[in-house]
Amino acid sequence: MNEPHRRGYGRRDGDLGLGPCSQEVERRYDVTTITRVVARDIRFPTSLDLSGSDAMNEAPDYSAAYVVLETDGGLEGHGFTFTIGRGNELCVAAIRALAPLVEGRTLESFTEDMGAFWRHVTGDSQLRWVGPEKGVIHLATAAIVNAVWDLYAKAEHKPLWKLLSDMSPEELISCVDFRYITDAITREEALEILRRNEKTKPDREAEMLEDGFPAYTTSAGWLGYSDERLRSLVREAVGKGWTHFKMKVGGDIEDDVRRADLIRDEIGPDRTLMMDANQVWDVDQAIENMERLKRFDPYWIEEPTSPDDVLGHARIAEAVTPVGVATGEHCQNRVLFKQLLQADAISFCQIDACRLGGVNEVIAVLLMAAKFGVPVCPHAGGVGLCEYVQHLSIFDYVCVGASLEDRILEYVDHLHEHFVDPVEIQAGRYVPPRTPGYSAEMKPESLNEFEFPSGGAWATEERTIP
């Protein structure tokens, strides 16, 4: 990778200039109280050019139910959960319902036991009735929890991946709620995974800073694009050095075959092609359609059926091998991932930073995937998801999975310009972030422009939701 330290820390040793906080930062951190939770409905009109379109979601408006944790200490925590337009207002309302659980509390009261913090946010006895740990409430939980982690990382002056990587195995385990998953992984087994990787963490961290994390592109393969645009974008991506491509399928099977043939013709036989059906097929339909699409040598078929159908995924996985089955972006909690792993239903675990209940629950799924030997390839096809999941994949490699075999991280070239610390891709790899926090913070002018329905982007009749 060229200029590997352009976003780096100017050092190659294990410290990286991101050691413990200074006394000044510690004093500020000790008195940091969350004074107010601000929730905003942010929507980008991507339906206008069909960016993000797939078989299930024909005209999405990439959106974020956005959270700002205001404090009395000069820091702010930013977080969000991803939606595709209508319904974003429900997530905003749910965030406001959760807000009293963190307002008036000090950051230190949470960070001294992040596992207890997560149970506090997910454990309200009345709000659990509209969950528990799934649906709109869990999406809002992710926004709140991720904002607290963003605040925590900023207070420690570290990017989130580094904050997590610097934790001891015992500290990481304390973040995880093992309730409902001990039949798949025990606390002791999880500790053993982390301890086994502890001595070699500095080597993998240095490797990430030198080479970055491998990525694939989805940006060329949206279902709503014309054949001409598809061919042009794929050709452009090949010219930029991309080696892994994902296309959307699940419309008319004849169209899928034609588009797959077009892409394979452009990328040649040696580059990797993945397919994503976005949940639209029945189980038998998925098996039948993949029989036709197998000749294009797909690496995986993503979301071939309902995300809740564990046994259906297992049947598909058995039938379509050697094509792998990938799913996870709509898996609502660690329990569903547990069942997919136990049933040998997926070859690739696609965590989503917002569908799960924030960083704590992500760690639980990473640990289970490591035990079952299933590579984690996060979903990042949405506004801000690339910014989030780069931290999670780098942390997974440094501390948990400890391998790059079959690991590759999604990248979409949309909306990064709205973030204070946008992702950087070099030679088809994510460059590790250096800015303290979770890379979730959007620019104030973008928040104002795209707030729904009052922002300037939504002020004209042409930019109403279709």
Side-chain angles (χ1 to χ4, degrees), residues 37 45 122 167 292 328 351 424 436:
V37 175
T122 59
M167 288 183 175
R292 295 200 57 188
I351 57 168
E424 182 179 346

Side-chain angles (χ1 to χ4, degrees), residues 22-35:
S22 68
Q23 290 183 351
E24 178 183 356
V25 173
E26 287 179 354
R27 283 198 300 272
R28 180 175 63 177
Y29 170 52
D30 285 345
V31 297
T32 297
T33 299
I34 298 169
T35 56

